[in-house]
Amino acid sequence: MLTPDCNDSLSPLIRVLLVEDDQIDRLAFARIVKQEGLPYDYVAARSLSEAKSILAEHSFDIAILDHSLKDGTSLELFDLLKAKNCPFIIATGTGDEETAAKVMNEGAYDYLIKDPELKYLKILPATVSKVIVRKQSEEQLRILNHAMQSAKDSIYIADLEGKLLFINESLKQICNLEDKDLIGQTMQILGQPDLKVDIGDPCRGQNCAIESEIVMQKAQGGSFPALLSESFIQDGEKRIRVGLIRDITDRKAAEIVLAQAKEDAEAATKAKSEFLANMSHEIRTPMNGVMGMTQLLSMTTLTEEQQDLVQTIQYSSDALLTLINDILDLSKIEAGMLELEERVFGLEDNLKSVCSLLTGQTQQKEINLSYHIDENVPNTLLGDNSRLRQILLNLVGNAIKFTQQGNIAIAVSSQKHSQGKQELTFAITDTGIGIERNLLNKLFQPFTQADASISRKYGGTGLGLAICKRLVELMEGTIWVESLGNIGGNPPLNWVSNGNLAQGSAFYFRILMDAAELSSPFDSPYQRAKLAIATAEKSALKILVAEDNQVNQKLALFMFKKIGYNIDLASNGLEVLEQLNQKVYDVIFMDIQMPDMDGIATTKIIRLNYKSQPWIVAMTAHAVGEAREDCLEAGMNDYISKPIRIEELTTALLKITQTNAIA
């Protein structure tokens, strides 16, 4: 049975058209196909007209034609078969040499003489296979020649003496030789000084490719840069060279533009870094005054409310100063302005100070923070104590952030380095949530966080680990991380994981320092005072403030209290929905960025699912443009921008009264 498309490469059968008006020959053909198990999917036509009808609807891999038929000769099918790219064999018992010559000249692939004993059928399968292989080779050669002639790149094939065996149209056009037969000519006729004629065999009998940049001369005048790739291969007993010439004018122009852009970008980066460094320094100076005066104020006699206000200022000032310091440090490093100090310090004092500074955070989470120093680690070192403490504070602080309970451990080991210095390896391990594999290598990039979505649960600027990496590199070291069986960063070649980290993460860094004698005691920083939150009776207007930041929650409490309102607080969208299930609120001031469920998603749920509809005011630092439109489209009634002032709260509440939103 004939399948619809004979050119389907997935078909294992050879599709054959047999044109034969003799029934005995048709039966003999069918018998030999069956007996020999030939892979033929064939159809038989008994006349020229029937053959033409079949060819109008189907295609074949090969046709076997009886030359003399009752309604004409096979010559009438030649053009149709050629048009369908189908090779054909003539098998006839009535032909002669003249007929054979004629059909071969007209395109037949072979000519078989029928004999009374039908012995020709024995050699027919081999003839069919030979013709199909020949046809496939011709087709491949045709496609290859068409591709090479149509290629935009210039292509030539020559022997090692420079005699041309092939040249495509692109190269002919460049050399203005389109109308000439160049096969057998030497490459000298191309007029290209950079194309060597007699090149020898640079590959010494091996197959290889050599690339070089050359200049191609245009016959009409001018030149252009090009990349020459010459492949040297063995063709039977002869060595040949295949050359491909590609115009790289655009690439060269792009390289010039890229080099200039790189230079401009480096200059801009340096200017930016210097600007940030100077600005951060200018901001840091008054911040120190604010923090110092706040500390003095906290030591005076204050009311409970005043103490809470002062402590809120201290927390905010600390957070802002940390951010300013991070920006300053990163800017200094990028601008090449940061220099390390060389002072003697005690390593254990350094670790004690880190643990002391972070004790409050670990106690709140009931995390056990400990350190261990190997016996072979020197007690005193020569280096930048404050920068080492900064690295440890960042890494341990990061571990605390992502650890809800369990342990955080700092371990220090040492070995003698080839330069005579101590090679110190620090390991900070935790029992936290761990880090996914696809995020590991992003950790040490500036402004990058593991969770950057609007609902991210953990704060931070994404600068800490990037600064740690830069500081470690300044100390001639490297930093890396291991978590959940994966490794990120740049571990040393001789480092081997112990494989015991079943939970959490382990940050490692290795630096070089000299051993020294301790010359001065370690001074610990001042400790912060505890918070005290003032409360008062609620007013008639029921207000809920959704805000995840504790400082902003306290700020909201004080601000609403100043204008005569008591409020309830929610830390995220899920808590908002829980409180709405228990109590009807007139107004919700909704922060946009919150963990677990953000303000926009929460508003959409409220508008769809709650019978009592509160007036919702967005509190966002991006209340302009698309962010503002997103708030209003989600169903919010109003918005106010951060930082929030008391007069803005009063105005927002006044709008509610004026629009009669609250019953």
Side-chain angles (χ1 to χ4, degrees), residues 28 61 138 154 159 248 266 332 417 485 542 565 585 611 648:
D61 298 315
E138 290 176 353
S154 299
D159 61 19
I248 56 173
E266 289 173 348
K332 280 185 175 180
H417 192 263
K542 294 181 283 296
Y565 295 97
Y585 287 95
K611 182 178 180 180
E648 292 175 337

Side-chain angles (χ1 to χ4, degrees), residues 293-399:
M293 293 301 294
T294 304
Q295 182 184 15
L296 292 175
L297 182 60
S298 66
M299 296 176 182
T300 62
T301 301
L302 300 171
T303 65
E304 185 177 1
E305 181 181 2
Q306 289 171 334
Q307 289 174 351
D308 206 358
L309 288 170
V310 170
Q311 191 60 45
T312 300
I313 296 172
Q314 287 180 319
Y315 269 105
S316 298
S317 300
D318 285 343
L320 183 56
L321 185 60
T322 299
L323 176 59
I324 293 169
N325 287 339
D326 283 349
I327 295 173
L328 177 61
D329 287 341
L330 187 63
S331 302
K332 280 185 175 180
I333 293 169
E334 288 183 345
M337 298 166 57
L338 187 102
E339 296 181 0
L340 298 178
E341 294 181 348
E342 290 284 334
R343 292 186 180 181
V344 177
F345 68 94
L347 178 61
E348 187 168 7
D349 288 338
N350 186 297
L351 296 180
K352 283 181 178 179
S353 71
V354 170
C355 294
S356 176
L357 286 169
L358 299 173
T359 295
Q361 297 181 39
T362 56
Q363 287 180 347
Q364 289 178 4
K365 289 188 167 185
E366 298 182 353
I367 296 172
N368 178 37
L369 175 61
S370 62
Y371 68 86
H372 171 77
I373 304 174
D374 284 359
E375 294 181 356
N376 62 338
V377 178
N379 292 326
T380 55
L381 297 165
L382 179 64
D384 197 322
N385 180 39
S386 63
R387 294 301 181 186
L388 176 59
R389 182 166 60 244
Q390 182 180 357
I391 295 170
L392 290 169
L393 283 170
N394 262 315
L395 294 179
V396 178
N398 205 55

Side-chain angles (χ1 to χ4, degrees), residues 51-231:
K52 291 176 182 178
S53 298
I54 293 172
L55 285 170
E57 297 183 4
H58 302 285
S59 297
F60 297 89
D61 298 315
I62 191 168
I64 303 169
L65 311 177
D66 184 8
H67 181 59
S68 297
L69 300 162
K70 293 177 181 179
D71 53 349
T73 67
S74 61
L75 289 171
E76 296 182 39
L77 296 175
F78 285 12
D79 289 341
L80 183 56
L81 289 168
K82 290 176 185 178
K84 296 183 76 69
N85 199 26
C86 179
F88 48 93
I89 300 170
I90 304 300
T92 181
T94 61
D96 51 24
E97 291 183 2
E98 183 180 350
T99 302
K102 183 177 182 180
V103 297
M104 293 297 289
N105 288 335
E106 291 293 331
Y109 275 65
D110 212 334
Y111 185 88
L112 299 178
I113 301 295
K114 293 181 181 179
D115 58 286
E117 292 81 14
L118 302 179
K119 292 180 179 179
Y120 80 96
L121 290 175
K122 292 292 185 181
I123 64 172
L124 183 61
T127 304
V128 169
S129 298
K130 181 179 68 174
V131 169
I132 287 178
V133 170
R134 175 183 162 190
K135 182 63 178 178
Q136 290 173 343
S137 299
E138 290 176 353
E139 185 66 13
Q140 291 173 357
L141 184 61
R142 184 192 65 80
I143 293 172
L144 178 61
N145 183 71
H146 178 71
M148 294 176 70
Q149 290 292 358
S150 304
K152 183 179 179 181
D153 295 330
S154 299
I155 303 172
Y156 64 84
I157 302 175
D159 61 19
L160 298 186
E161 287 73 40
K163 288 184 180 180
L164 289 168
L165 305 175
F166 173 86
I167 180 170
N168 76 341
E169 291 300 321
S170 174
L171 186 52
K172 285 184 178 181
Q173 289 175 7
I174 293 171
C175 303
N176 196 24
L177 298 169
E178 293 98 323
D179 299 329
K180 295 186 179 181
D181 184 7
L182 304 179
I183 304 305
Q185 303 269 10
T186 65
M187 293 178 59
Q188 190 171 4
I189 196 173
L190 301 178
Q192 300 294 337
D194 285 356
L195 294 180
K196 297 180 181 178
V197 178
D198 189 352
I199 198 171
D201 189 358
C203 302
R204 299 179 181 180
Q206 302 295 318
N207 292 347
C208 74
I210 299 174
E211 285 191 350
S212 60
E213 290 190 8
I214 62 173
V215 176
M216 290 291 291
Q217 305 296 328
K218 296 181 180 179
Q220 297 86 351
S223 61
F224 62 89
L227 178 66
L228 170 62
S229 176
E230 275 196 311
S231 299

Side-chain angles (χ1 to χ4, degrees), residues 315-594:
Y315 269 105
S316 298
S317 300
D318 285 343
L320 183 56
L321 185 60
T322 299
L323 176 59
I324 293 169
N325 287 339
D326 283 349
I327 295 173
L328 177 61
D329 287 341
L330 187 63
S331 302
K332 280 185 175 180
I333 293 169
E334 288 183 345
M337 298 166 57
L338 187 102
E339 296 181 0
L340 298 178
E341 294 181 348
E342 290 284 334
R343 292 186 180 181
V344 177
F345 68 94
L347 178 61
E348 187 168 7
D349 288 338
N350 186 297
L351 296 180
K352 283 181 178 179
S353 71
V354 170
C355 294
S356 176
L357 286 169
L358 299 173
T359 295
Q361 297 181 39
T362 56
Q363 287 180 347
Q364 289 178 4
K365 289 188 167 185
E366 298 182 353
I367 296 172
N368 178 37
L369 175 61
S370 62
Y371 68 86
H372 171 77
I373 304 174
D374 284 359
E375 294 181 356
N376 62 338
V377 178
N379 292 326
T380 55
L381 297 165
L382 179 64
D384 197 322
N385 180 39
S386 63
R387 294 301 181 186
L388 176 59
R389 182 166 60 244
Q390 182 180 357
I391 295 170
L392 290 169
L393 283 170
N394 262 315
L395 294 179
V396 178
N398 205 55
I400 294 171
K401 186 190 301 182
F402 294 100
T403 302
Q404 298 306 317
Q405 60 183 1
N407 303 294
I408 297 174
I410 309 171
V412 189
S413 59
S414 176
Q415 62 181 14
K416 202 75 172 178
H417 192 263
S418 58
Q419 299 179 8
K421 295 185 176 184
Q422 292 292 323
E423 187 177 66
L424 301 168
T425 301
F426 293 78
I428 297 89
T429 58
D430 63 62
T431 57
I433 61 175
I435 307 166
E436 295 297 331
R437 180 178 182 178
N438 62 320
L439 301 173
L440 285 177
N441 288 321
K442 298 180 181 179
L443 290 178
F444 301 106
Q445 299 175 12
F447 307 103
T448 300
Q449 296 168 309
D451 180 8
S453 66
I454 195 172
S455 297
R456 63 188 179 88
K457 192 172 183 178
Y458 307 98
T461 62
L463 289 174
L465 291 178
I467 293 171
C468 288
K469 180 177 182 290
R470 305 292 180 88
L471 291 176
V472 166
E473 289 171 349
L474 285 174
M475 296 179 185
E476 303 177 80
T478 185
I479 186 170
W480 66 101
V481 59
E482 181 182 11
S483 182
L484 305 178
N486 302 303
I487 297 172
N490 299 297
L493 295 176
N494 61 351
W495 176 76
V496 179
S497 171
N498 57 25
N500 295 329
L501 189 66
Q503 181 183 359
S505 305
F507 280 83
Y508 305 88
F509 66 94
R510 184 173 290 179
I511 57 176
L512 297 181
M513 284 190 176
D514 287 314
E517 294 294 329
L518 185 64
S519 58
S520 60
F522 170 74
D523 297 323
S524 60
Y526 74 92
Q527 302 296 318
R528 299 173 180 175
K530 294 182 179 181
L531 290 175
I533 301 175
T535 58
E537 293 183 3
K538 299 176 183 178
S539 66
L541 192 62
K542 294 181 283 296
I543 301 173
L544 175 63
V545 175
E547 171 61 65
D548 63 302
N549 184 276
Q550 290 185 356
V551 172
N552 288 341
Q553 287 181 352
K554 294 171 188 173
L555 184 62
L557 285 170
F558 288 126
M559 282 188 172
F560 278 98
K561 180 182 176 183
K562 286 292 184 183
I563 58 178
Y565 295 97
N566 290 322
I567 62 172
D568 291 338
L569 295 173
S571 298
N572 55 59
L574 294 178
E575 291 185 12
V576 170
L577 299 180
E578 289 177 3
Q579 295 199 46
L580 282 175
N581 290 331
Q582 300 173 8
K583 182 177 179 180
V584 174
Y585 287 95
D586 301 313
V587 187
I588 299 178
F589 285 85
M590 186 83 73
D591 188 20
I592 299 304
Q593 289 182 301
M594 295 185 294

